[in-house]
């Protein structure tokens, strides 16, 4: 089985930065006490101005890495919210179904001149879509010998007037991107293994039930991912995770559950952006690289959970 590599991480946030106090004052959250957000690790988040679309975010995330795109065989375009998987805006006026099939992935292909790329939309894995992209892209590259790269993109913005809170987490609009390749990428990673769990019976669960199921399924997903990689948990040097309540990771890593060193759980973007839908793992991975803390050969486990309900984990090895 040929090796697959990942790198050139990029991201962008919504253009308006707000404190938790401002967001609470604007009635954009269910929680009405800013100190509850702050005690969970949230300080600020980013939302889009009315004129900024999810597609605008996607373009802004890809622009910094566009120079690295060569022989792209496919674009995997992930959205957590179905409304962002379509950029047509005139259906209510025209009643023309073509307006509902105006897909952002096709526009991205055209705008960046990726004329030979196959466009794949991934929009039913919620906040885990970007980790799902790792698995899908690796499988496609191993199956299609003439492809050398796949561009993975995720972009979401909440509709105007939305609540920017889900499962007691503060949300940011944003987009992220990376390149997955059959050739090593300077400053990037080797793809190792992936694991996912989906429990469709909980598709319409409430916040409390989803939090209750977060812990056992997180343990199962991470443990199985490590096992499938032929590793032990002690071999995982860094766990790059979703931006949720900081206390949740203390419980997950406690001796009675994972028994993992909490100082190796990495999510420094939490205070400044909260939960950026499917992009948390990309932002935090890029910040890990920039921190200089990670060393060549070390293993990193990226983990996300999303409504659906889906839990996904991927293990990478840093090449440097």
């Amino acid at each position: 089985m040929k090796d697959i590599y990942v790198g050139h991480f990029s991201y962008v946030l919504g253009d308006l930065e707000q404190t938790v106090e401002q967001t609470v004052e604007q009635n954009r959250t269910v929680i009405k006490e800013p100190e509850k957000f702050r005690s969970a690790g949230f300080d600020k988040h980013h939302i889009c101005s009315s004129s900024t679309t999810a597609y605008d975010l996607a373009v802004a995330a890809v622009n910094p890495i566009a120079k690295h795109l060569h022989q792209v065989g496919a674009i995997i375009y992930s959205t957590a919210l179905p409304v962002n998987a379509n950029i047509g805006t005139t259906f209510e006026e025209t009643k023309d179904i073509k307006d509902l099939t105006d897909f952002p992935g096709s526009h991205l292909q055209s705008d960046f001149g990726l004329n030979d790329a196959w466009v794949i939309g991934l929009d039913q894995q919620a906040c885990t879509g970007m980790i799902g992209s790792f698995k899908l892209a690796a499988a496609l590259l191993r199956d299609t010998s003439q492809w050398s790269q796949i561009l993975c993109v995720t972009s979401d913005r909440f509709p105007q007037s939305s609540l920017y809170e889900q499962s007691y987490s503060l949300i940011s609009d944003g987009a992220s991107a990376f390149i997955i390749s059959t050739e090593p990428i300077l400053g990037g990673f080797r793809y190792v293994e992936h694991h996912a769990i989906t429990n469709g019976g909980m598709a319409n669960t409430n916040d409390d039930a989803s939090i209750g199921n977060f812990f056992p399924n997180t343990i199962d997903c991470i443990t199985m991912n490590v096992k499938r990689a032929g590793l032990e948990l002690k071999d995982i040097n860094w766990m790059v995770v979703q931006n949720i309540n900081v206390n949740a990771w203390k419980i997950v890593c406690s001796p009675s559950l994972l028994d993992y060193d909490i100082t190796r759980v990495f999510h420094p973007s939490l205070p400044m952006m909260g939960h950026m839908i499917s992009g948390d793992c990309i932002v935090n991975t890029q910040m890990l690289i920039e921190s200089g803390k990670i060393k060549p050969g070390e293993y990193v486990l990226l983990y996300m959970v999303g409504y659906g309900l889906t839990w996904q984990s991927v293990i990478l090895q840093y090449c440097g």
Side-chain angles (χ1 to χ4, degrees), residues 34-71:
E35 61 273 15
K36 288 188 178 180
F37 282 117
R38 292 195 178 276
S39 65
F42 303 102
D43 292 332
K44 301 176 181 179
H45 71 140
H46 295 251
I47 66 176
C48 285
S49 57
S50 59
S51 61
T52 302
T53 69
Y55 183 67
D56 292 333
L57 294 175
V59 171
V62 175
N63 269 327
I65 63 173
K67 62 184 178 182
H68 301 293
L69 296 171
H70 310 289
Q71 296 180 304

Side-chain angles (χ1 to χ4, degrees), residues 38 44-45 67 79 82 106 171 173 218 222 263 278 281 303:
R38 292 195 178 276
K44 301 176 181 179
H45 71 140
K67 62 184 178 182
T79 53
S106 299
I171 308 297
D173 296 326
T218 293
I222 291 173
T263 66
S278 190
C281 56
Y303 177 78

Side-chain angles (χ1 to χ4, degrees), residues 53-55 58 77-89 97-108 119-125 153-157 159:
T53 69
Y55 183 67
Y77 196 111
S78 172
T79 53
L81 306 178
V83 66
N84 293 319
N86 165 45
I87 61 177
T89 59
I97 202 70
K98 286 194 295 296
D99 292 323
L100 299 180
T101 58
D102 191 4
F103 301 125
S106 299
H107 284 261
L108 200 73
V119 177
I120 303 166
L122 186 63
D123 63 358
Q124 294 190 31
Q125 294 187 1
V153 182
T154 184
S155 183
D156 281 291
R157 63 149 297 166

Side-chain angles (χ1 to χ4, degrees), residues 1-319:
M1 186 181 300
K2 63 184 176 184
D3 284 337
I4 302 297
Y5 301 91
V6 183
H8 299 307
F9 299 99
S10 176
Y11 67 91
V12 64
L13 293 162
D15 47 314
L16 301 178
E17 180 183 274
Q18 294 198 163
T19 65
V20 292
E21 286 80 8
Q22 290 172 317
T23 295
V24 167
E25 287 174 3
Q26 295 168 10
N27 292 315
R28 290 183 177 271
T29 62
V30 176
I31 295 173
K32 300 305 180 186
E33 300 83 16
E35 61 273 15
K36 288 188 178 180
F37 282 117
R38 292 195 178 276
S39 65
F42 303 102
D43 292 332
K44 301 176 181 179
H45 71 140
H46 295 251
I47 66 176
C48 285
S49 57
S50 59
S51 61
T52 302
T53 69
Y55 183 67
D56 292 333
L57 294 175
V59 171
V62 175
N63 269 327
I65 63 173
K67 62 184 178 182
H68 301 293
L69 296 171
H70 310 289
Q71 296 180 304
V72 175
I75 300 167
I76 299 177
Y77 196 111
S78 172
T79 53
L81 306 178
V83 66
N84 293 319
N86 165 45
I87 61 177
T89 59
T90 59
F91 173 75
E92 291 301 324
E93 299 173 10
T94 66
K95 306 303 179 184
D96 187 341
I97 202 70
K98 286 194 295 296
D99 292 323
L100 299 180
T101 58
D102 191 4
F103 301 125
S106 299
H107 284 261
L108 200 73
Q109 179 207 38
S110 176
D111 288 345
F112 285 91
L114 304 176
N115 301 325
D116 296 325
W118 183 31
V119 177
I120 303 166
L122 186 63
D123 63 358
Q124 294 190 31
Q125 294 187 1
C127 298
T128 70
M130 204 53 154
I131 290 186
S133 296
F134 283 94
K135 173 70 171 181
L136 180 57
L140 287 169
L141 286 175
R142 285 168 173 162
D143 182 66
T144 313
S145 59
Q146 62 266 39
W147 291 358
S148 61
Q149 283 187 347
I150 290 178
L151 171 63
C152 296
V153 182
T154 184
S155 183
D156 281 291
R157 63 149 297 166
F158 275 22
Q160 290 293 113
S161 76
S162 294
L163 293 174
Y164 274 80
E165 176 187 343
Q166 285 295 311
S167 294
Y168 313 112
S169 291
L170 192 65
I171 308 297
S172 272
D173 296 326
S176 60
F178 67 85
I179 296 170
I180 188 162
S181 172
T182 56
E183 298 294 330
I185 297 174
L186 183 64
F189 297 81
R190 180 178 68 88
Y191 171 87
V192 179
E193 187 56 89
H194 167 276
H195 186 65
I197 300 170
T198 299
N199 184 344
M202 295 188 65
N204 295 316
T205 191
N206 60 30
D207 288 350
D208 289 340
S210 67
I211 290 172
N213 278 272
F214 168 81
F215 296 100
N217 284 287
T218 293
I219 302 306
D220 288 349
C221 187
I222 291 173
T223 301
M224 185 56 68
N225 192 191
V226 172
K227 182 178 179 180
R228 291 184 60 175
L231 301 171
E232 296 181 16
L233 192 58
K234 64 181 181 181
D235 298 320
I236 303 300
N237 302 97
W238 298 96
M239 200 175 292
V240 176
V241 299
Q242 189 165 350
N243 290 342
I244 59 173
N245 191 314
V246 292
N247 298 305
W249 296 114
K250 294 176 183 178
I251 296 172
V252 168
C253 295
S254 66
S256 60
L257 294 179
L258 270 188
D259 194 17
Y260 185 79
D261 183 358
I262 188 65
T263 66
R264 291 282 174 165
V265 175
F266 200 79
H267 52 145
S269 67
L270 172 63
M272 54 82 68
M273 75 172 201
H275 173 38
M276 198 185 83
I277 312 180
S278 190
D280 295 8
C281 56
I282 303 303
V283 177
N284 288 327
T285 298
Q286 179 61 25
M287 293 180 79
L288 177 60
I289 296 170
E290 293 171 351
S291 74
K293 293 181 178 180
I294 188 170
K295 307 303 178 187
E298 290 189 335
Y299 289 101
V300 180
L301 184 146
L302 280 59
Y303 177 78
M304 297 285 286
V305 59
Y307 281 109
L309 278 164
T310 298
W311 298 258
Q312 294 202 57
S313 172
V314 65
I315 295 173
L316 308 174
Q317 186 177 31
Y318 188 54
C319 300

